[in-house]
């Protein structure tokens, strides 16, 4: 797996290649997302960066997250708590979610391609993705 600095450099190159100007705020948001494994909300990103960027608004965070999502650099996770969370790990992986505190942890498991193929075969849909969520209590909440 690429290191965080390598992933940041590649993400910046990808944005610049699509004509996106790299502002210090964009760079900081992207760097934060690529360095954290916590699947933060926009508000959590704002709180983490507000001391370095006191004039940056939550709207700026949301606008940049939308831009990063459109560029394929982050995915938006919606898991029923009405707060979108953002994940910069774009590799195939799944999430386990604590029912008590809401912590989301990545875990690797072979992609369930057979499930997609069976769903397509049985329904006639052209399947382009799936999402699997596992729920339980994290070690801290047990």
């Amino acid at each position: 797996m690429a290191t965080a600095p390598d992933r940041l450099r590649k993400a910046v190159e990808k944005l610049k290649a699509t004509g996106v100007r790299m502002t210090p705020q964009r760079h900081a948001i992207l760097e934060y997302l690529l360095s954290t494994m916590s699947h933060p909300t926009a508000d959590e990103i704002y709180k983490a960066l507000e001391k370095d960027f006191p004039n940056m608004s939550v709207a700026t965070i949301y606008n940049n997250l939308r831009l990063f999502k459109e560029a394929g650099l982050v995915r938006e996770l919606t898991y029923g708590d009405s707060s979108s969370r953002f994940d910069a790990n774009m590799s195939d992986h799944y999430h386990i979610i604590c029912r008590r505190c809401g912590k989301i942890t990545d875990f690797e498991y072979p992609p369930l391609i057979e499930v997609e193929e069976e769903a397509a075969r049985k329904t006639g849909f052209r399947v382009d993705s799936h999402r699997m969520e596992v729920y339980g209590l994290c070690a801290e909440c047990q």
Side-chain angles (χ1 to χ4, degrees), residues 16 22 27 39 47 53 55 60-61 63 65 74 81 83 85 88 92-93 104 111 122-123 126 128:
K16 285 182 178 177
M22 189 49 56
H27 194 275
H39 306 86
K47 287 176 184 145
F53 297 94
N55 295 325
T60 299
I61 303 285
N63 290 336
L65 289 170
V74 300
D81 65 354
S83 295
R85 296 185 167 274
D92 285 335
H93 68 281
I104 301 171
K122 285 188 172 179
T123 65
R126 184 175 63 230
D128 57 25

Side-chain angles (χ1 to χ4, degrees), residues 36-66:
T36 184
M37 296 301 288
S38 67
H39 306 86
T41 64
D43 285 336
E44 289 168 347
I45 297 167
Y46 172 76
K47 287 176 184 145
L49 299 178
E50 71 178 329
K51 67 182 179 317
D52 295 325
F53 297 94
N55 295 325
M56 185 166 53
S57 68
V58 176
T60 299
I61 303 285
Y62 275 108
N63 290 336
N64 282 290
L65 289 170
R66 186 181 68 250

